Structure formats: structure tokens, C-alpha cells
Amino acid sequence: MSDPSPITSLHQTRQRRDRLATMLITAGGVGVLLAVVAIAVFLLVEVLPLFWPDGASFPLEALWSSPDVSGEPEYRWLPHRLDDAAMPQASLAPLLWGTLEAAAWALVVAIPLALGAAAHSSLYMSPGLRARLKPTLELMEAMPSVVLGFIAGLALGPWVERHLAQSLSIVVVLPAAVVLLALGYRWLPDRLKAALTLRWAALWLIPCLLLLVWLAMSVAPMWEGWWFDGDLRLWVEESWGLDVQARNALIVGLAMGFAVIPGIYALAEDALSDVPRELAEGAQAMGATRWQTLTRVMLPVALPGVFSAIMIGAGRAVGETMIVLMASGNSALMTASPLDGLRSLASSIAIELPEAAPGGSHYRLLLLAALALFAFTFLVNTLAEVVRVRLKRRFTRRKGDA
């Protein structure tokens, strides 16, 4: 009869390793939760003295007020003048507006491109090309945001300011031409359509897009001379009263959109790829086109994951610092014009916190801005998770009823 002691000893050793790994994982999770709670408590403790009823208190209504200091009410963020100003001029309203405006323009750029790329790679792209391109797109998320901010602030912004007509021509011509290409693809000869298969569209579309960009830039001087006397920027300033700045909300949205695209793409692509292939194949076997399969079968099933991807991208856009800092002009303005500059909560904290005296009103106002950012991102991520769980339960219930 064999001795079971070596087997028993090996089993006990594995159990000890499993318990140790479990304890380490649990300690890491609890540590993350404690760190989040500690950050929230620290911010609350530092911000609360700002509103204590004593001589150093800061009036709460001043955070949203627009004092009449120059003949008309105007929101101002001038925390360095808290000590010598008769009326506090440190409203958080322009910072909140700039934060939401930058995030909104970033999502306008990121959502169509990211979801389109996710749908294409999960349904149309060949497996070999997808295996090469998907990791490359996901690696874009590791690109430092300071690099995108540098390119946007020092290269893209000044170029758009000098070539406003060409930039507008690209924005208008490129989407319209892509739609026309998609409609014309149906009328191509079968031999040419077989050569330009959608499974490899990510490769043969790139030269077409570059050609369209060159065409849009070539025709821009002609229509600018016909309709705007050769100077679109001057016409905008004289007709609409808009000052076209090199660093504005559109530049911020474009650069931040490219920073947000990889995250939204990766999560949305995983959600679409997790849809059982039997559903898509069954829909196509019943006569549905790929577009109908995508919109009526795959998207409803993957909607929880897609929604979470969008909300996480929104949280990333709200908390972005370096791109806004380098490409926005840092002007605390509350205007609806996308050609004006802006200033966000995160960029204000990054600029002013090293100069704020600890314990002063300016210091506590910046921590209040940090608390607002913390609360907003926490609520956005919580909302994304709640909606994702509810949508998943609803789909599971419908699937069970069927």
C-alpha cells in the first residue's frame, strides 16, 4: 500500500498558496476601497472650513453668482483677488461649463468613430486583420495625453486658425464623401466588389480618405474666394462677431476625442464580440443584411457593454487635464461658441494649486473643485454600472421568456 503523505503534503501546500493569494487579492481590493474613501474624506475635511460661519468664511452664493462689476453681470474666476476684492469673484460656473463643454465635444468626436470601429472589427473585419489592428488601437490608450495636448496646442490649433476654410472643408466634405462612397459601393461591378471586400476595408479605404482630404483642401480656396471674399476668418469675425482663437473648444474636443477613442473602442468591441455568433449567423441565414444584423441583433444584446464604454469614456474626458491645459487657452468663459477658449476644473487645479497657500480660501476653492470632479466621475461610473446591470437583467429576462 502506497504512502499518501507526499500527496497530502502537496495538497496542503497548494491550499496554503491559495489562501495566501486570496488574502492578497482581498487586501488589495479593500485597500483600493479605503483609498477612495480616504480621498473623499480628505477633500470634505479640507473644504468644509470654507463655509464655516466665521470671519474667514466664503459665501456659498458666490460660487454661482455673476457680480455686476463692469456694467453687466459676468461670471468670473479670479481667486487670487479674494483678499482685496469687495465682492468675491470666484465662481465655479465657468469652470464647470468648460469641463462639460470639453467633454461634450470630445464625445461628439469619439463616439461615432469608436463605435464604428468596434462594429466594423467585430462584424466585418477578417480575423487575421482584426488580430493585428485591435491590439494596435488598444495600445493608443497608452499614449501620454501630454503628447496629444502638445500636438493640438502647438501644431493643430495654429494651423486651423490660419487655414479655417480648409479645416471647414475637410469637416464637411469628408463625411459626405464617405456616405457617397458607401452608396456607390453597391453599384460596383461584382469583380471589383470582390477585390474591394469589406473584410479588408481598413486597408483600401485609407488611400481613399487621404485622397478626399487632399481634394477638400484643394477646393477650399475656390469656395472661400467665391462666397467669403477670400477670407473666411474675417467674414466670421465681422458677420457673427466671433473671435477665432488658435486654442478653442473644438481643438480640445478633437484632441481629447482621440484620447478617449481607444478606451471606448476596446470596451465596445469586447461587448460586441461577446455576442454569441449563433445569433448573428441565424439572422443572416434568415435573410437579414449585415447592417440589420448589427442594429437589430448585436447592438441590443451588447447594449449594456456599449453604454458602459460610453460612460467610462465620458468620465475620462471630464477628468482630462493636460490636453485641456495645453490646447484650450485657459480662458474661464461661459460662451456657447466652440471657437472660444475654455477652462476646466482639472486644468485650474493643475495650474493654481502650486501657488495657493495651504489653508487659504484659494486653496480650499481648488479642493472644492477637486471634490466636484471626484463626485462627478464617481456618479458617472456608478450610473454606468447600474444601467449596465439593469439592461443585462432585462435582456436575460427576455431571453428566458423567449
Side-chain angles (χ1 to χ4, degrees):
M1 187 173 181
S2 60
D3 186 10
S5 58
I7 300 178
T8 304
S9 176
L10 179 61
H11 180 67
Q12 292 177 351
T13 302
R14 289 179 176 178
Q15 284 185 333
R16 286 193 294 266
R17 290 178 179 177
D18 290 343
R19 285 195 295 268
L20 178 61
T22 303
M23 291 178 60
L24 291 176
I25 294 173
T26 303
V30 173
V32 171
L33 293 177
L34 291 178
V36 174
V37 173
I39 292 173
V41 171
F42 169 78
L43 293 176
L44 284 173
V45 170
E46 292 292 332
V47 167
L48 283 177
L50 193 65
F51 309 107
W52 284 350
D54 56 15
S57 63
F58 186 83
L60 184 61
E61 61 275 7
L63 294 175
W64 320 106
S65 63
S66 53
D68 187 354
V69 295
S70 60
E72 59 181 8
E74 183 179 359
Y75 292 97
R76 291 174 176 265
W77 172 254
L78 300 173
H80 59 279
R81 297 178 54 184
L82 288 175
D83 298 330
D84 57 357
M87 181 180 298
Q89 301 179 31
S91 174
L92 289 178
L95 303 186
L96 290 171
W97 174 266
T99 301
L100 296 178
E101 184 182 10
W105 282 113
L107 293 179
V108 167
V109 174
I111 289 177
L113 296 178
L115 296 187
H120 176 73
S121 62
S122 62
L123 186 61
Y124 295 93
M125 191 177 292
S126 65
L129 185 60
R130 177 177 177 270
R132 291 173 174 83
L133 288 184
K134 185 174 183 291
T136 304
L137 292 177
E138 291 177 348
L139 283 176
M140 288 177 55
E141 195 170 7
M143 180 180 295
S145 58
V146 66
V147 176
L148 292 175
F150 177 83
I151 296 173
L154 299 182
L156 181 61
W159 188 87
V160 171
E161 184 187 19
R162 294 192 303 267
H163 306 88
L164 185 61
Q166 294 180 344
S167 304
L168 181 61
S169 182
I170 293 174
V171 171
V172 174
V173 171
L174 194 59
V178 170
V179 173
L180 293 177
L181 284 175
L183 294 176
Y185 182 83
R186 302 174 57 186
W187 305 101
L188 291 177
D190 293 337
R191 181 176 299 179
L192 185 58
K193 189 182 297 185
L196 300 177
T197 175
L198 292 178
R199 295 166 62 87
W200 298 92
L203 297 181
W204 60 261
L205 265 179
I206 293 178
C208 295
L209 295 178
L210 294 177
L211 180 62
L212 289 174
V213 170
W214 174 81
L215 180 63
M217 295 177 62
S218 300
V219 300
M222 292 188 296
W223 62 259
E224 185 182 19
W226 292 340
W227 297 337
F228 305 105
D229 296 330
D231 195 339
L232 176 60
R233 178 180 176 182
L234 180 61
W235 182 86
V236 169
E237 293 178 354
E238 293 179 350
S239 301
W240 293 353
L242 299 178
D243 184 15
V244 181
Q245 301 182 11
R247 297 174 175 86
N248 52 55
L250 284 180
I251 300 298
V252 173
L254 185 61
M256 197 186 301
F258 276 97
V260 173
I261 282 175
I264 298 179
Y265 163 79
L267 295 176
E269 207 276 343
D270 289 340
L272 290 171
S273 297
D274 289 340
V275 176
R277 305 305 301 179
E278 293 81 4
L279 295 177
E281 293 172 358
Q284 294 183 9
M286 294 295 292
T289 63
R290 288 189 177 184
W291 176 253
Q292 292 173 333
T293 302
L294 173 65
T295 57
R296 301 184 183 181
V297 177
M298 298 186 67
L299 274 181
V301 177
L303 187 58
V306 173
F307 180 80
S308 297
I310 294 174
M311 297 302 289
I312 292 175
R316 162 75 191 279
V318 168
E320 180 58 49
T321 302
M322 294 308 300
I323 294 177
V324 182
L325 184 65
M326 302 179 69
S328 65
N330 294 308
S331 304
L333 303 175
M334 282 194 67
T335 62
S337 173
L339 300 178
D340 288 334
L342 55 86
R343 187 164 189 161
S344 68
L345 293 170
S347 62
S348 297
I349 296 171
I351 294 174
E352 301 174 15
L353 190 59
E355 301 177 357
S361 298
H362 187 189
Y363 173 82
R364 299 191 188 280
L365 279 174
L366 293 176
L367 291 185
L368 178 61
L371 180 61
L373 269 179
F374 178 86
F376 185 84
T377 53
F378 181 81
L379 291 176
V380 166
N381 292 331
T382 303
L383 177 63
E385 182 63 20
V386 170
V387 173
R388 185 190 69 82
V389 171
R390 289 189 177 182
L391 290 175
K392 188 174 182 180
R393 288 178 180 174
R394 182 181 302 177
F395 170 74
T396 305
R397 190 182 305 116
R398 290 180 178 178
K399 183 178 179 181
D401 295 340

